[in-house]
Amino acid sequence: MLSRQMVLCSRLGFTPSTSTAVFHTTTTNSVLPRAKPLDEEMPTSGRSVSKKQRPDTQILDLSGKRHKKDIDIIVADQYLQQWYKMETKSLAADYLALCKSKLSLFVASTATCGFLMAPVPVAAAPLAAATIGTFLLSSAANSCNQLLEAPYDAQMRRTQSRVLVVHRFSPLHAFTFAGVTGLTGIGLLAYYANPLAAALGALNWFIYAVYTPMKRSHIGCTWAGAVVGAIPPLMGYSAATGYLDPAAWCLATILFSWQFPHFNGLSWNLRGDYSKAGYRVMCVTNERLCRVTSIRHSLALLGLCSIAAPLTDLTTLTFAIDSLPVNAYLVYLSYKFYKAPDAKNSRRLFFYSLLHLPLIMLLMGISNYGRNEKQKEPIVERITNGYTSMVESIKSLTA
């Protein structure tokens, strides 16, 4: 009986153990039979290529003076083609998706509002340049955004169908598109408007390129993104006037503060996706700060529209009164989001923010229809008068 067990152990590769265990394994000298190498894997004389080499491969020659031996690496074309191969069914639709056309139109509308709020007569060519140039620069920035975030967009359910993720656009084509649209937008602003508007557009493009990777490294990315959203109205204002005064900065601050309830309301229900992709936004790293920032900037919008805008001669007192219910409801929704941060309240805050900004811009335009001559004074007089009126208003409130 013992002999039969020893024969069985030897066949199975087991040997008796001297430890408390019954058996332990030992290595055997059995090896798999060597497979015959493929023809394309066989070394060739010199740098010649085998006749049986696959047609979908290329050879990268890495030999040089520093190498004693010739080194060739065979790289399949499918990896090289990822930089230029496109599998699009509707090129026009994919272009619109790459540039996020709806978002770019929204950004261009803020530049148009800035142009119309400037205290100068409306000129057709600079207005068109401000609108189209801002749209092109926004398209370039959004293309760069998708180009840099394609690996992370693939991890999030909301963005996993973007054109670069599903390979309807190649990285090389997207990079070329971003360069052409961005430089064209800067050229339009410089030629038909003025260099200040073009410089602001170039600066905004650069800040957006820095802001995109910042989302994965620091919570301050939301503030950087708010700066990006505040510059387009400055571009429109400067395209009309050639300068920036307190009214322009007030308009930009309104757009800056609007970004926080808008983005925080959007991002709250996407915390899982943002966390999975490694984004360090407020809703992931500091939920309380996300809620506090939303209500804080909603209150700031109330003060900016009803106090700062008339004091800087950006609008008339009509706008200060008309905008009160619009901003008060935003404060109410932000407060509800602060007290009960659930999916319903965050969604209501986000969707109302999409309605809030167009209403504010519309009320601005209505209140400034037929502006008086004081609002068309030179910049020095406007700054002096605005500062004086602001001081007088503060004195009258404290008296």
Side-chain angles (χ1 to χ4, degrees):
M1 185 68 179
L2 180 61
S3 61
R4 291 177 61 185
Q5 291 179 352
M6 293 178 62
V7 171
L8 180 61
C9 292
S10 63
R11 289 183 178 181
L12 295 176
F14 294 99
T15 57
S17 174
T18 58
S19 64
T20 57
V22 180
F23 295 108
H24 68 82
T25 58
T26 58
T27 59
T28 60
N29 294 328
S30 60
V31 295
L32 293 174
R34 297 189 61 183
K36 182 180 179 182
L38 299 175
D39 292 336
E40 57 264 29
E41 296 177 343
M42 295 295 292
T44 56
S45 58
R47 299 178 190 172
S48 62
V49 183
S50 173
K51 295 181 180 180
K52 296 183 179 181
Q53 179 182 323
R54 293 182 300 173
D56 61 339
T57 59
Q58 295 183 9
I59 289 184
L60 301 181
D61 184 9
L62 299 183
S63 60
K65 296 181 179 179
R66 297 184 179 181
H67 300 282
K68 296 182 180 180
K69 298 181 179 180
D70 293 341
I71 302 176
D72 293 336
I73 296 181
I74 299 178
V75 182
D77 271 355
Q78 58 181 345
Y79 299 109
L80 298 178
Q81 288 176 355
Q82 290 179 0
W83 284 95
Y84 58 85
K85 185 179 179 180
M86 293 180 55
E87 299 177 357
T88 179
K89 296 181 179 179
S90 176
L91 189 60
D94 289 341
Y95 271 125
L96 294 177
L98 180 64
C99 70
K100 300 181 184 177
S101 57
K102 294 181 180 179
L103 176 60
S104 296
L105 283 172
F106 193 79
V107 172
S109 68
T110 63
T112 305
C113 177
F115 190 99
L116 296 176
M117 295 303 297
V120 294
V122 177
L127 175 59
T131 304
I132 298 174
T134 304
F135 178 83
L136 291 175
L137 281 164
S138 178
S139 300
N142 289 322
S143 301
C144 292
N145 172 266
Q146 294 192 59
L147 186 63
L148 293 172
E149 292 188 342
Y152 314 113
D153 286 342
Q155 303 176 41
M156 297 191 294
R157 183 172 53 186
R158 183 176 68 95
T159 57
Q160 62 186 4
S161 60
R162 286 181 174 175
V163 289
L164 283 171
V165 177
V166 297
H167 306 293
R168 292 210 304 268
F169 256 92
S170 66
L172 181 61
H173 196 97
F175 180 79
T176 305
F177 175 79
V180 171
T181 53
L183 294 176
T184 304
I186 293 173
L188 284 175
L189 289 169
Y191 185 80
Y192 291 101
N194 52 67
L196 177 58
L200 287 171
L203 175 64
N204 208 31
W205 189 14
F206 172 76
I207 295 175
Y208 199 90
V210 174
Y211 150 77
T212 298
M214 188 180 177
K215 289 192 289 185
R216 293 176 48 80
S217 60
H218 198 275
I219 193 175
C221 60
T222 308
W223 281 264
V227 172
V228 172
I231 291 180
L234 290 180
M235 294 165 58
Y237 197 98
S238 62
T241 61
Y243 58 79
L244 297 175
D245 58 9
W249 292 110
C250 179
L251 179 61
T253 308
I254 291 173
L255 267 293
F256 176 85
S257 292
W258 175 84
Q259 307 287 326
F260 292 92
H262 169 72
F263 178 73
N264 290 346
L266 167 67
S267 63
W268 187 259
N269 292 330
L270 303 172
R271 286 171 293 167
D273 274 354
Y274 282 123
S275 178
K276 185 189 303 182
Y279 289 119
R280 300 185 60 82
V281 291
M282 277 188 284
C283 64
V284 174
T285 59
N286 194 330
E287 293 184 357
R288 185 181 182 278
L289 180 63
C290 179
R291 294 180 284 126
V292 170
T293 305
S294 299
I295 192 170
R296 182 185 300 161
H297 282 276
S298 297
L299 289 169
L301 284 169
L302 187 64
L304 286 168
C305 294
S306 296
I307 300 175
L311 290 179
T312 57
D313 286 337
L314 174 65
T315 62
T316 62
L317 288 174
T318 305
F319 171 75
I321 299 172
D322 292 343
S323 63
L324 270 175
V326 179
N327 288 315
Y329 190 63
L330 182 67
V331 173
Y332 169 73
L333 292 179
S334 298
Y335 177 75
K336 290 194 66 175
F337 173 60
Y338 172 76
K339 296 297 290 185
D342 53 21
K344 179 181 178 181
N345 288 330
S346 62
R347 194 179 297 114
R348 289 179 65 186
L349 177 62
F350 168 68
F351 283 113
Y352 180 71
S353 69
L354 295 177
L355 178 64
H356 172 270
L357 188 59
L359 282 175
I360 291 296
M361 292 191 295
L362 179 62
L363 291 175
M364 281 184 179
I366 293 174
S367 68
N368 280 347
Y369 182 75
R371 305 177 78 172
N372 56 43
E373 294 299 325
K374 290 184 178 180
Q375 293 171 314
K376 299 179 182 180
E377 293 174 348
I379 179 173
V380 177
E381 296 181 15
R382 293 191 69 220
I383 294 175
T384 304
N385 294 338
Y387 176 77
T388 303
S389 62
M390 182 173 61
V391 172
E392 290 177 354
S393 299
I394 294 174
K395 288 181 178 180
S396 62
L397 291 174
T398 56

